Amino acid sequence: MKTADLDRALAIARSGRPLNVADLSIFDGFALPGFQPVTCTVEALAMLVRWQCVQLNGEINAEALLEIATYGRKRFLVVGAAEKAA
């Protein structure tokens, strides 16, 4: 995962736009030592960010986002068209 991928995912997660991601189980245990890298879309990453980081008041939990950024760098391969989030 590149920084730009996470930036796009964060923007999508904060936008409130509906995401059609049926299954987030591919990310289960992403911080554990035995986790194998996965291929995902920006939308799936946005859903993970929304699930892990967006608090009820709409703010972002910085520690949770840092965890995704740190582990995702080598464990998430983001594929698909890079859509710009507004």
Side-chain angles (χ1 to χ4, degrees):
M1 174 183 73
K2 297 178 183 170
T3 303
D5 297 328
L6 185 58
D7 291 342
R8 281 193 302 274
L10 180 59
I12 293 169
R14 294 191 81 181
S15 73
R17 153 182 143 190
L19 297 171
N20 295 326
V21 178
D23 188 15
L24 285 181
S25 67
I26 64 166
F27 298 112
D28 287 353
F30 71 86
L32 297 174
F35 185 83
Q36 295 298 312
V38 295
T39 302
C40 63
T41 62
V42 172
E43 287 77 17
L45 185 58
M47 193 67 203
L48 175 67
V49 169
R50 189 177 283 173
W51 179 257
Q52 291 281 112
C53 305
V54 179
Q55 302 174 115
L56 293 176
N57 64 1
E59 296 296 317
I60 297 295
N61 181 317
E63 289 178 15
L65 186 62
L66 179 62
E67 183 178 58
I68 291 172
T70 301
Y71 292 105
R73 186 173 295 123
K74 294 192 181 207
R75 297 179 181 186
F76 304 155
L77 174 62
V78 180
V79 297
E83 174 185 322
K84 293 201 174 198

